[in-house]
Amino acid sequence: MFVTVPVVRVRSAHVAYEGRAVLQGVDLPVDAGEVVAILGANGSGKSTLVRAVLGLVPLAAGSVELFGEPLRRFRQWQRIGYVPQRLGAGSGVPATVAEVVAAGRLARRGPFRPPRAADRAAVAAAIAAVGLADRAGDPVTTLSGGQQQRALIARALAGQPDLLVLDEPTAGVDAASQDAFADALRGFVAGGGTVLLVAHELGPLRPVITRAIVVHHGGIAHDGACPEPAGFHADPGHDHVHPHAAEPLGTPLGMWQS
Amino acid sequence: MTDLFASDIFLRALAGAVVIGLAAPTLGTYLVQRRLALIGDGIGHVALTGVGVGLLFDQSPVLTAVVVAALGAVGVELVRERGRTSGDLALALLFYGGIAGGVLLVNLSGGTGTNLLQFLFGSLSTTSSDDLAVIAVLGAVVVAAMLALRPALFAICHDEEYARVSGLPVRALNVLLAVTTAVTVTIAMRTVGLLLVSALMVVPVAAAQQVTRGFRSTMHAAMAIGVLAAGAGVVVAAEADTAPGATIVMVAIAVFLGITVAAALRRATRRRPRADSPQPEPPEVVLQR
């Protein structure tokens, strides 16, 4: 009988930054087809958790498996599409949207093989999927924050991954881009994809999410259905600090309650 | 002018300069993208120690400079990779140690100030055909590697974490960039000198990106500007009897200024008559109440 392997399996993961414990024994299995949102206050360790899943942050203890392979031996990076929080700062030279999105094909074609027609077609399709077809030749720095975020999602989609990992994809993103993003995600899930995303607030994504994890003080405080948002002022002791000046104020959710 | 082009010395100088003018901006595009515009200068300092080693032990200074500069560049890369705040000081120690060590070793080898100046500011007119062959071969290798690996090198310079998650051999590519920087610095030593090498890596890129929109177009334009500045600089230096290295760099800076002014004028004249300007960007934040 065919036994399905979890797409992601985190076992008692510990992560520490300079002696300060950020994750303390987190367990997280994600099965194929799930759309998992990782929620939590700033500093709860939610971003660290996905960065540890991708091997961008070393584990002090515990283990991570991707598609059944221990992270150390994992080589099928074309199966993963990563969307970072924002465009890297290292862009002293202009780059067009198409050039940035084309980097999404590298996991599939490797560093030495030049792009083929299939690569170019996938790049064009991914740019169209996030509604940026008319901006493909423009420098990414001329795009709005929301459009830049869509370009990063297109980069991840261009590699035709099985698992999308997104770090706060909708933080500081305008409503039009949030809707475009929710549509793109819906299409990806309909095609059989698995999603792991860190979110501060769900907004239009809410109907797409199948499971929510709440990270609190480096541990998992909730694992199950999407929790009802607690109002911004529901918790008198909330110490939430807004990191982005341009955050949408539509659904001000500082803390999530299980 | 015709006499000039009949002279072997001049033609060798011109050929060497054009090779560097092509290779340096090709590599420099990645360095500028990574905001490491001054790294070439630092590696140039380190290369001087290599020159000193070569003169002291009676080896080819170009060869020893390549080796020492490559070791220095890989060391810089290791410091950068760890991302420590003390990295800034570590680099300063390496660079100033490099230039002081170079001066001391050149002195110890019985070298004169003239020797030193040749390496610091270039001595294009003493380019032999053997030198030219080395410059041409290494320059071709640099250009070929930087062009062939452009998508992967672009990815690691643009967003290193994303490149890591793409499974790219990030460390190997970073070391390749570091070694290529060392090689470029060393072959450019004869043309513009160790103290001006960085200018040929950076200034053409700075000029190009005033008018380009993409990474590839910036690289190609920078290569064209580099070749133009190197060629014109050698001709002007021969005509006006000025130092070729400094002349090349001044021509490159003149191109930069010219392009910057032209681009600013074009933007200013375009903006005014346009009534049908593109529709405004959607607002970043939608206030719902």
Side-chain angles (χ1 to χ4, degrees), chain B residues 189-262:
Chain B
M189 180 164 81
R190 297 308 297 263
T191 326
V192 289
L194 291 172
L195 291 184
L196 289 173
V197 164
S198 206
L200 262 189
M201 295 185 181
V202 174
V203 177
V205 181
Q209 67 180 19
Q210 303 296 316
V211 286
T212 53
R213 298 166 70 75
F215 186 81
R216 194 175 61 155
S217 52
T218 304
M219 181 180 275
H220 290 164
M223 291 163 80
I225 293 169
V227 167
L228 180 83
V234 170
V235 173
V236 169
E239 290 287 332
D241 196 22
T242 52
T247 312
I248 289 171
V249 173
M250 290 313 286
V251 170
I253 289 175
V255 171
F256 167 79
L257 290 175
I259 289 181
T260 305
V261 169

Side-chain angles (χ1 to χ4, degrees), chain A residues 35-241:
Chain A
V35 183
V36 178
I38 300 179
L39 308 167
N42 293 310
S44 59
K46 59 186 192 302
S47 279
T48 304
L49 177 55
V50 293
R51 292 169 60 77
V53 164
L54 296 171
L56 294 174
V57 171
L59 291 179
S63 67
V64 170
E65 284 178 19
L66 293 172
F67 298 96
E69 281 279 311
L71 193 55
R72 186 177 287 277
R73 289 212 307 269
F74 183 74
R75 293 291 176 272
Q76 302 167 285
W77 292 104
Q78 71 279 6
R79 301 185 73 174
I80 294 182
Y82 170 49
V83 181
Q85 224 171 71
R86 54 183 59 85
L87 205 62
S91 48
V93 174
T96 64
V97 171
E99 284 174 331
V100 170
V101 173
R105 293 298 291 177
L106 281 168
R108 224 156 251 289
R109 65 184 175 87
F112 302 110
R113 193 168 66 68
R116 295 178 187 168
D119 295 306
R120 281 187 280 272
V123 168
I127 294 174
V130 296
L132 287 177
D134 55 331
R135 304 297 302 268
D138 290 349
V140 278
T141 45
T142 63
L143 269 53
S144 73
Q147 291 170 329
Q148 288 188 4
Q149 199 63 38
R150 278 147 74 182
L152 296 185
I153 289 157
R155 177 174 69 174
L157 291 176
Q160 294 159 322
D162 297 323
L163 167 68
L164 263 187
V165 179
L166 310 103
D167 193 353
E168 301 224 25
T170 55
V173 166
D174 58 272
S177 285
Q178 287 207 26
D179 289 337
F181 170 63
D183 286 345
L185 207 57
R186 219 172 267 126
F188 176 74
V189 173
T194 307
V195 178
L196 181 61
L197 69 91
V198 171
H200 197 68
E201 51 195 38
L202 293 176
L205 299 182
R206 200 174 177 80
V208 193
I209 308 294
T210 62
R211 180 176 155 210
I213 307 280
V214 178
V215 180
H216 190 61
H217 289 314
I220 289 183
H222 167 91
D223 184 348
C226 270
E228 282 309 309
F232 189 59
H233 300 289
D235 176 5
H238 73 82
D239 56 350
H240 172 65
V241 180

Side-chain angles (χ1 to χ4, degrees), chain B residues 1-102:
Chain B
M1 196 73 168
T2 43
D3 293 349
L4 212 52
F5 282 91
S7 143
D8 277 353
I9 294 175
F10 173 79
L11 287 179
R12 278 200 296 269
L14 185 66
V18 165
V19 171
I20 309 295
L22 188 70
T26 317
L27 164 73
T29 310
Y30 298 110
L31 301 181
V32 173
Q33 192 195 23
R34 188 165 251 191
R35 301 192 187 283
L36 283 178
L38 295 177
I39 195 73
D41 199 38
I43 300 302
H45 287 42
V46 176
L48 192 66
T49 291
V51 169
V53 170
L55 292 179
L56 191 61
F57 294 102
D58 215 14
Q59 302 290 319
S60 153
V62 171
L63 200 66
T64 50
V66 167
V67 173
V68 172
L71 289 174
V74 171
V76 169
E77 170 53 29
L78 293 180
V79 169
R80 193 196 63 81
E81 186 185 82
R82 295 174 85 186
R84 293 280 173 83
T85 41
S86 58
D88 189 35
L89 282 176
L91 297 188
L93 286 171
L94 188 66
F95 296 168
Y96 301 124
I99 203 152

